[in-house]
Amino acid sequence: DVKVTQSSRYLVKRTGEKVFLECVQDMDHENMFWYRQDPGLGLRLIYFSYDVKMKEKGDIPEGYSVSREKKERFSLILESASTNQTSMYLCASSFWGDNQPQHFGDGTRLSIL
Amino acid sequence: EDKVVQSPLSLVVHEGDTVTLNCSYEVTNFRSLLWYKQEKKAPTFLFMLTSSGIEKKSGRLSSILDKKELFSILNITATQTGDSAIYLCAVGEYGGSQGNLIFGKGTKLSVKP
């Protein structure tokens, strides 16, 4: 079974802090994704990566950055956390190529106070 | 602008009922349509549809795609309380970046005993 592991289920941080969310997958997937999920807005893509050290902006990249130093690990960074970044963050991964489903981690519920 | 629209947004039924969830899309270079089930944690992959008129089936769940009318339905027969979840529809595109999905906002299904 595919395993996508997010480092924390719940996280509480303060405004202005630098926040790191970690995601690790064990299936040798090329693609990795970070989404945020908010009520009434669905899943919105923040960043994705299709290879080590490669990254591309999704729909809402402002206020975020990412790092992919190893194939299995994809980190989301909130450079200076703000209250409007309180959300559920979901990591996903998939193989490269057509018609490959994405597999999701359990999510990190992040609260910025 | 590409979009995926799910209806209804929420639905309450009783055990044993049959439900139909709808997903319509306007996507420039359609490649595939995926259904996910999200309970309290990670969305789990249900089906991927690429061809019109071919039903995918798994137990009490089935889904079909109409590429002419640009929609898909997910049917659940003899619903159980364990079917309570958010059902997400997503569409993948050709071209652009490999692996990206455009998500609908989801249908929240509640099955009452």
Side-chain angles (χ1 to χ4, degrees):
Chain A
D1 268 0
V2 177
K3 186 75 175 169
V4 180
T5 303
Q6 294 184 229
S7 53
S8 306
R9 286 297 318 278
Y10 300 94
L11 205 54
V12 180
K13 295 291 183 181
R14 296 211 171 270
T15 303
E17 280 192 72
K18 190 169 186 176
V19 180
F20 293 85
L21 302 183
E22 306 287 345
C23 176
V24 176
Q25 49 93 5
D26 66 356
M27 282 301 292
D28 205 33
H29 285 165
E30 291 85 7
N31 297 334
M32 295 189 76
F33 307 84
W34 275 107
Y35 295 89
R36 61 178 285 177
Q37 185 177 29
D38 300 288
L41 297 177
L43 269 75
R44 294 180 291 167
L45 182 65
I46 304 171
Y47 267 97
F48 65 98
S49 167
Y50 52 88
D51 201 354
V52 176
K53 296 196 185 295
M54 304 301 288
K55 61 184 180 183
E56 287 201 27
K57 294 180 180 178
D59 299 319
I60 50 165
E62 298 78 17
Y64 303 94
S65 62
V66 289
S67 172
R68 190 148 180 221
E69 296 297 319
K70 294 185 177 181
K71 190 175 185 180
E72 67 270 20
R73 186 180 295 270
F74 192 35
S75 303
L76 179 70
I77 304 154
L78 285 66
E79 298 290 346
S80 178
S82 64
T83 54
N84 64 10
Q85 293 177 308
T86 291
S87 186
M88 168 69 87
Y89 289 87
L90 288 165
C91 174
S93 69
S94 72
F95 285 116
W96 174 267
D98 292 340
N99 302 332
Q100 298 293 337
Q102 293 181 17
H103 299 272
F104 286 83
D106 284 344
T108 295
R109 189 166 291 283
L110 175 64
S111 297
I112 307 295
L113 305 179
Chain B
E1 184 183 330
D2 293 338
K3 62 180 180 181
V4 176
V5 178
Q6 292 186 244
S7 63
L9 291 181
S10 65
L11 188 57
V12 180
V13 300
H14 287 93
E15 271 191 318
D17 288 351
T18 292
V19 298
T20 298
L21 309 184
N22 303 291
C23 177
S24 63
Y25 61 90
E26 292 178 25
V27 173
T28 308
N29 297 304
F30 176 88
R31 171 169 53 88
S32 58
L33 187 144
L34 294 84
W35 285 97
Y36 287 85
K37 176 183 181 182
Q38 185 178 20
E39 297 175 84
K40 300 234 181 272
K41 299 181 183 179
T44 53
F45 173 69
L46 294 175
F47 298 115
M48 177 182 286
L49 303 144
T50 57
S51 302
S52 280
I54 299 174
E55 186 183 53
K56 292 279 181 97
K57 197 170 171 65
S58 176
R60 295 176 294 104
L61 277 66
S62 63
S63 183
I64 198 160
L65 173 68
D66 186 327
K67 290 167 75 173
K68 183 178 176 186
E69 300 297 329
L70 308 183
F71 77 92
S72 173
I73 59 172
L74 176 68
N75 278 323
I76 309 174
T77 58
T79 52
Q80 302 171 357
T81 54
D83 295 326
S84 296
I86 297 173
Y87 290 85
L88 299 169
C89 173
V91 172
E93 290 185 280
Y94 283 110
S97 300
Q98 278 283 356
N100 277 10
L101 296 175
I102 304 165
F103 279 86
K105 294 181 180 179
T107 293
K108 183 176 181 180
L109 174 66
S110 299
V111 181
K112 302 221 175 278

